[in-house]
Amino acid sequence: MRYAAIDIGSNAVRLLIADIIGQKDQYNFKKNTLLRVPLRLGDDAFIQQEISPRKAESLIKTMKAFRELMDVYHVEDYMACATSAMRDAKNGADIVAEIKKNGINIDIIEGAKEAEIIYNSHWDNKMEKDKVYLYIDVGGGSTELSLFANGVLVNSRSFNLGTIRILDNQDKTETWDELKEWVRSNTHMYKQVIGIGTGGNINKLARLSDEKVDKPLSYAKLKAVYEHLASFSLKERIILLGLNEDRADVIIPASEIFLTIMKHGRLKQIIVPRVGLVDGVIRTLINRNLVK
């Protein structure tokens, strides 16, 4: 069988179609098709507080295309989630209603729900119960943090601090201060906290560092990659380093968010399992439909 996940983010919109494998409550999935469309809804939502007609039309067209693809692939179930940009946009609900006419139901989810879905991915089963982990998901509009100790969720928080907000100068000093204080106050009592980073930017940073999947990325290595990238202009990062245009700018503020969290939480390393919201959505669908 096949399931599909749609992530309507502040920087890009993604569709993952996955083949479900396994039996008797032991299910996993294999990625079949992954599409990413860089709509940058956050540029509108964070500055104008609404999605412009032009981008709304592009989003509607994208959802029509995704609907057609899901039909062609014979997808049995799907879930579509919209995050920070659509949460902030005054016309977000109206756009969702329009898209529903074309056969796709979209849930505009809060930060806490977003974090829950992300951590629904298979990676949580690999946590060692006697260690402390700080999950860090950096998106275009928000950063989600969740602290786990002894296999139990201790605390979580969503901050209106993301790559597109920073690029658009919509980040606030008090939000940065709140982030730093939350990290310090929730990690200082532990001898060691291991970071787990998710999102397209940390995945790319891990690849640029030449670290293998699931191998920890040290603070020093991440900082070195960041400083290397920052030494190039935006144009040079695209032409000389080969970064996609919609990745070359956001990767700098993403690095700054990750490094800030690691510094104030005294995290020496961060694990990058290279999963995201769409992976968590597929796992959510498996749990809802197949796991009893």
Side-chain angles (χ1 to χ4, degrees):
M1 67 188 73
R2 284 183 180 141
Y3 292 157
I6 296 174
D7 169 15
I8 302 173
S10 303
N11 188 30
V13 177
R14 297 173 179 82
L15 168 67
L16 171 62
I17 295 175
D19 296 328
I20 311 305
I21 53 179
Q23 58 184 347
K24 295 182 180 180
D25 294 344
Q26 297 296 320
Y27 294 96
N28 211 326
F29 64 91
K30 180 181 179 182
K31 295 182 181 181
N32 183 307
T33 301
L34 178 62
L35 295 175
R36 179 178 182 275
V37 183
L39 293 185
R40 288 259 165 127
L41 300 177
D43 281 336
D44 289 351
F46 305 142
I47 297 176
Q48 307 297 334
Q49 281 71 59
E50 65 177 14
I51 306 299
S52 67
R54 181 178 64 84
K55 289 201 175 181
E57 181 181 4
S58 294
L59 177 59
I60 292 169
K61 287 181 177 179
T62 300
M63 291 301 105
K64 286 180 181 179
F66 284 3
R67 177 71 267 178
E68 295 289 343
L69 280 171
M70 288 193 294
D71 291 343
V72 169
Y73 277 89
H74 303 292
V75 167
E76 296 185 27
D77 198 7
Y78 76 94
M79 182 185 296
C81 298
T83 56
S84 187
M86 294 289 277
R87 285 199 298 264
D88 282 18
K90 292 182 292 186
N91 60 342
D94 293 335
I95 296 173
V96 166
E98 185 64 29
I99 291 172
K100 187 175 182 180
K101 297 177 184 177
N102 295 290
I104 292 184
N105 294 314
I106 298 171
D107 293 324
I108 300 178
I109 58 175
E110 295 298 322
K113 182 64 176 179
E114 183 179 353
E116 177 187 333
I117 293 173
I118 292 168
Y119 311 137
N120 222 358
S121 67
H122 72 282
W123 183 255
D124 59 353
N125 297 323
K126 298 182 180 181
M127 285 193 299
E128 297 181 42
K129 300 302 182 183
D130 59 341
K131 293 185 178 180
V132 181
Y133 296 92
L134 179 63
Y135 276 84
I136 310 163
D137 182 77
V138 175
S142 63
T143 294
E144 324 298 337
L145 299 179
S146 294
L147 185 73
F148 288 82
N150 301 316
V152 177
L153 175 63
V154 176
N155 202 354
S156 65
R157 176 83 181 270
S158 177
F159 295 88
N160 282 337
L161 191 66
T163 59
I164 303 298
R165 283 190 199 271
I166 294 173
L167 289 176
D168 291 339
N169 296 314
Q170 298 302 306
D171 56 317
K172 299 178 180 178
T173 301
E174 52 264 37
T175 307
W176 280 102
D177 292 340
E178 289 172 6
L179 174 76
K180 296 171 186 176
E181 176 55 32
W182 190 94
V183 172
R184 285 193 296 262
S185 63
N186 281 277
T187 60
H188 74 90
M189 68 287 292
Y190 302 107
K191 184 177 180 180
Q192 182 183 31
V193 179
I194 300 171
I196 299 179
T198 58
N201 287 298
I202 193 65
N203 292 346
K204 187 63 177 180
L205 288 163
R207 291 187 181 95
L208 290 171
S209 73
D210 294 326
E211 294 290 5
K212 296 181 180 179
V213 175
D214 293 348
K215 184 176 181 180
L217 180 63
S218 70
Y219 176 86
K221 189 69 173 286
L222 178 58
K223 187 176 181 181
V225 173
Y226 161 68
E227 291 175 346
H228 175 69
L229 290 170
S231 68
F232 292 88
S233 68
L234 174 60
K235 187 175 181 179
E236 289 171 336
R237 289 196 292 272
I238 296 170
I239 296 175
L240 299 180
L241 300 183
L243 296 181
N244 290 337
E245 185 175 347
D246 63 298
R247 180 70 68 200
D249 54 356
V250 294
I251 201 167
I252 297 299
S255 302
E256 293 167 351
I257 295 173
F258 277 107
L259 288 169
T260 297
I261 293 169
M262 293 182 74
K263 177 181 177 180
H264 290 273
R266 297 173 292 113
L267 277 62
K268 295 181 180 179
Q269 58 187 23
I270 184 169
I271 297 169
V272 186
R274 301 183 190 178
V275 298
L277 183 65
V278 287
D279 300 87
V281 167
I282 297 295
R283 177 58 62 182
T284 298
L285 290 170
I286 290 173
N287 293 340
R288 185 171 73 188
N289 294 324
L290 300 175
V291 178
K292 298 179 180 179

